[in-house]
Amino acid sequence: MNENAFEVRKVAVIGTGVIGNGWISRFLAQGLEVIAFDPGEGAEQRTHAAIQQAWPSLVHIGLAENASADHITFVETIEEAVKDADVIQENVPEREDLKKSVLAEIDRFAKPEAIIASSTSGIMPSQLQEDLQNPGRMIVAHPFNPVYILPLVELVGGQKTDQVTIERANAFYSSINMKPLIVQKEIEGHVADRLMEALWREALHLVNDGIATTEEIDASIIYGAGLRWAQMGPFLTFHLAGGEKGMRHMLEQFGPALKLPWTKLEAPELTDELKEKVIEGCETHAGESSVYELEVKRNEFLVKLLDLVEEYWHEPMETAK
């Protein structure tokens, strides 16, 4: 089948908690029709309230020509929700047994060409595919809160996921102004959450050991690493730290420090193979831009971003004691 012929007009959302309602708001803003199912009492009312809260931000970002907050229908069964949907977004609580049961029911009633996507933040798709009759059309599509603003979505195929499903999912999420990250090899927690968890664990150690307060740790990210990461991420940030020779010099100079007991996390062995993978990745990512050119762009970006942070961060930061 030609993935380019795959057209999405109707989306089903199963589970309308924080993530489900975030998806609903984004889908509606992109002009899609949404059919929603959630057996929880008051779910429909909470969804409409969530849409109302999200809509001003979506208006600011930009609505599709045919977008409407009213293009949503709640139904009473999963079968009703998914039977005509082109994409089904599952968002039930993060329990493997529950997700597998719900996904099996979705699979039973969804039309054959529909994509079934799970928003799971940690479970691998191969586990979720085990009870499906048609596992090839199931994929993980993991977003970040608030889904209606943040563009990243991690796409993870399982052992039985068809390549055409990955291609169609990539095209679909791109079409609704998201930035799909296709994870090449499934792993618990995918990519972004594993990175955030590492920082989170170390932050908890710092608080537990009386090194810094939660406010001070937040400030260290807001006014330090976070400003740089928002533009370049950790690898290009360190690429610039190496001066004219970029990551190559950075690893030569600071690589040994990875084994110093600064953190509670054990670093990987910095083999020559790993060094070259990191160096090559950074140099490829940098493209034709020299370190100087990247520094100019970074500095211009940081000045503007710092003004933005100050605009939305009204309380003054207390000096660390």
Side-chain angles (χ1 to χ4, degrees):
M1 250 184 287
N2 181 2
E3 68 271 14
N4 295 326
F6 183 69
E7 184 177 3
V8 178
R9 295 182 179 177
K10 184 179 293 186
V11 179
V13 175
I14 308 301
T16 59
V18 172
I19 297 300
N21 285 332
W23 277 121
I24 288 171
S25 299
R26 178 178 283 274
F27 292 149
L28 293 175
Q30 293 299 316
L32 297 170
E33 179 183 354
V34 176
I35 309 299
F37 169 78
D38 190 313
E41 184 177 353
E44 184 172 358
Q45 291 75 17
R46 288 192 295 273
T47 291
H48 286 296
I51 295 169
Q52 185 177 11
Q53 182 179 20
W55 210 253
S57 295
L58 291 164
V59 170
H60 182 78
I61 293 169
L63 301 175
E65 185 176 349
N66 54 340
S68 172
D70 298 325
H71 289 170
I72 179 172
T73 303
F74 264 79
V75 294
E76 297 183 357
T77 66
I78 287 178
E79 179 180 4
E80 289 179 272
V82 307
K83 63 181 181 179
D84 297 321
D86 303 303
V87 172
I88 299 104
Q89 193 77 42
E90 170 273 310
N91 318 280
V92 302
E94 199 76 356
R95 297 199 333 255
E96 184 177 338
D97 58 341
L98 175 61
K99 282 188 177 290
K100 290 174 74 170
S101 174
V102 170
L103 287 167
E105 188 171 359
I106 292 171
D107 184 48
R108 188 159 61 249
F109 295 117
K111 58 187 182 181
E113 66 273 21
I115 292 174
I116 300 175
S118 174
S119 296
T120 179
S121 61
I123 305 172
M124 295 194 296
S126 290
Q127 296 172 255
L128 298 177
Q129 291 174 327
E130 290 175 346
D131 299 331
L132 303 188
Q133 297 176 359
N134 186 1
R137 42 88 167 266
M138 186 265 158
I139 191 171
V140 163
H142 173 234
F144 295 83
N145 185 47
V147 183
Y148 55 89
I149 294 177
L150 297 184
L152 181 64
V153 57
E154 294 177 315
L155 301 182
V156 192
Q159 294 176 5
K160 298 180 180 179
T161 302
D162 294 333
Q163 181 61 31
V164 71
T165 299
I166 297 174
E167 293 169 358
R168 286 176 166 180
N170 186 34
F172 167 64
Y173 291 104
S174 295
S175 76
I176 58 171
N177 291 333
M178 300 195 82
K179 300 291 185 184
L181 170 61
I182 299 177
V183 180
Q184 300 298 324
K185 183 178 180 181
E186 62 179 334
I187 187 172
E188 295 91 342
H190 320 316
V191 174
D193 274 0
R194 292 180 73 92
L195 295 171
M196 289 188 288
E197 183 187 354
L199 179 62
W200 174 234
R201 277 183 286 169
E202 189 62 25
L204 290 177
H205 280 301
L206 293 172
V207 172
N208 188 56
D209 294 344
I211 306 300
T213 66
T214 57
E215 181 181 8
E216 289 161 354
I217 291 170
D218 281 353
S220 75
I221 298 299
I222 292 169
Y223 293 102
L227 291 173
R228 298 183 297 187
W229 290 346
Q231 184 193 23
M232 292 186 175
F235 281 107
L236 273 187
T237 294
F238 280 127
H239 183 56
L240 298 188
E244 292 182 0
K245 294 184 179 179
M247 181 61 79
R248 185 172 301 279
H249 177 67
M250 188 273 172
L251 287 180
E252 290 174 354
Q253 183 171 354
F254 299 106
L258 291 175
K259 284 299 183 181
L260 295 178
W262 287 357
T263 70
K264 303 291 186 178
L265 306 176
E266 183 178 356
E269 188 68 27
L270 193 60
T271 62
D272 290 340
E273 181 182 2
L274 179 55
K275 284 183 180 180
E276 287 307 313
K277 284 183 179 179
V278 172
I279 292 165
E280 181 180 350
C282 288
E283 291 176 347
T284 300
H285 191 185
E288 299 298 320
S289 298
S290 67
V291 169
Y292 174 78
E293 290 170 333
L294 290 172
E295 286 177 340
V296 170
K297 291 181 180 179
R298 179 197 63 189
N299 292 346
E300 292 175 351
F301 175 85
L302 291 181
V303 168
K304 294 179 180 179
L305 185 59
L306 184 57
D307 289 339
L308 188 62
V309 170
E310 292 293 339
E311 179 181 350
Y312 287 94
W313 191 259
H314 301 297
E315 297 180 3
M317 180 179 65
E318 292 184 1
T319 305
K321 298 178 178 61

